[in-house]
Amino acid sequence: MKPIQPNDTGFWLLTQGSSLHLIEGQLPQGKALDFNLQGLNAMVIGELARQPVYLVEEKLSDSRQYFSLRDQLFLPEDVFNVLSCGVELNYFLNTHRFCGKCGSPTQITENEWAVECQNMHCTYRTYPVIHPCIIVAVRRGREILLANHLRHKGGIYTTLAGFVEVGETFEQAVHREVFEETGIKINNLRYFGSQPWAFPNSVMVGFLADYESGEICLQEAEICDAKWFRYDSVLPELPPRGTIALKLIEHTLKLCAEEERKIK
């Protein structure tokens, strides 16, 4: 990052954890001087409306008003992804101020998103850590499997998801998570899409799958409830628009409707 100059112009992304500073729902846009940003440090991480997006170094104390990144999921995907990138980069920089190998201070590199140890006998370079998670929609004919997780108890029903473990492929993680959480075995696994998920540093890798066998048996440490829902029935509360979870659900409901037409 470099010191911000008064006449630097563009969009300004200031973060506090997984929240960002907005003015009337928009990123501050204009000269640094207009927002009293001169003297702080920043770097360009992308572009919006043909103007640079500056990520401002996160400060512990700031009187500006901040809003949750989750509440911005309605934004166009390219805009949300830039915001996610900024939140995740500041998280990385804040948690890698010291070398994980020798403990010496680090410094942001000039030519890439990374930090490098300042100990001349070490110079270990670290890149942003991304934790891959799988997320999967399971279909059984005209039904979709939806679960109510403990963190959403009594509220949202969604698809199954979980972190990929060391030495595990994405596909193995999908089979394991579905079986661990519901006792269900699946087949016909296929890739659907992905979504950066800066809470704080993940990427969601989405799959579609078909039911193979088994009865629902809940992993009660994580799941409150899981049920099969017909595509044409009244559905429970679903994840918010903009999430890959909702995209998976909507796509699977269309597949269920197609299955119905085939039967008729």
Side-chain angles (χ1 to χ4, degrees), residues 167-187:
E168 189 175 51
T169 67
F170 289 139
E171 293 81 4
Q172 289 169 336
V174 174
H175 285 277
R176 175 182 54 76
E177 284 289 346
V178 172
F179 186 75
E180 285 181 354
E181 294 188 354
T182 65
I184 297 296
K185 291 186 177 181
I186 56 174
N187 58 26

Side-chain angles (χ1 to χ4, degrees), residues 21-237:
H21 173 54
L22 300 174
I23 299 176
E24 296 182 353
Q26 303 291 325
L27 281 182
Q29 179 185 7
K31 290 185 178 181
L33 185 63
D34 298 335
F35 305 105
N36 195 30
L37 297 172
Q38 62 275 19
L40 298 176
N41 295 318
M43 63 180 176
V44 176
I45 63 165
E47 185 178 274
L48 290 175
R50 298 184 178 181
Q51 291 195 40
V53 178
Y54 290 89
L55 175 64
V56 182
E57 184 178 14
E58 185 173 314
K59 297 296 182 183
L60 293 178
S61 59
D62 190 341
S63 60
R64 297 178 176 88
Q65 192 171 11
Y66 285 78
F67 300 85
S68 171
L69 177 63
R70 290 179 186 270
D71 293 338
Q72 314 310 313
L73 279 162
F74 66 91
L75 292 171
E77 186 175 289
D78 60 335
V79 178
F80 182 80
N81 286 353
V82 170
L83 303 183
S84 296
C85 176
V87 166
E88 192 164 340
L89 280 174
N90 261 345
Y91 175 81
F92 165 69
L93 296 174
N94 284 335
T95 55
H96 288 78
R97 297 183 183 276
F98 298 91
C99 177
K101 188 176 180 181
C102 76
S104 299
T106 61
Q107 183 171 309
I108 302 171
T109 61
E110 293 187 3
N111 59 341
E112 57 185 350
W113 291 342
V115 294
E116 187 171 85
C117 179
Q118 296 305 287
N119 181 342
M120 62 179 295
H121 299 294
C122 180
T123 67
Y124 181 68
R125 185 169 288 203
T126 306
Y127 297 85
V129 178
I130 301 172
H131 294 150
C133 300
I134 59 85
I135 182 167
V136 57
V138 181
R139 181 175 69 92
R140 184 176 70 176
R142 292 164 287 178
E143 299 174 313
I144 183 172
L145 178 65
L146 297 175
N148 180 223
H149 295 75
L150 282 176
R151 63 183 178 278
H152 299 139
K153 188 174 182 179
I156 290 172
Y157 276 69
T158 185
T159 50
L160 301 177
F163 287 101
V164 180
E165 295 184 351
V166 174
E168 189 175 51
T169 67
F170 289 139
E171 293 81 4
Q172 289 169 336
V174 174
H175 285 277
R176 175 182 54 76
E177 284 289 346
V178 172
F179 186 75
E180 285 181 354
E181 294 188 354
T182 65
I184 297 296
K185 291 186 177 181
I186 56 174
N187 58 26
N188 193 24
L189 187 64
R190 58 262 192 219
Y191 175 75
F192 177 80
S194 61
Q195 181 177 36
W197 199 244
F199 302 103
N201 56 344
S202 299
V203 58
M204 305 297 293
V205 183
F207 291 88
L208 301 169
D210 294 338
Y211 168 82
E212 180 179 287
S213 64
E215 297 295 329
I216 293 176
C217 180
L218 300 180
Q219 184 184 35
E220 295 182 353
E222 295 188 26
I223 307 293
C224 297
D225 187 30
K227 295 177 181 177
W228 294 104
F229 292 88
R230 275 185 59 96
Y231 79 98
D232 54 356
S233 66
V234 177
L235 296 174
E237 181 184 356

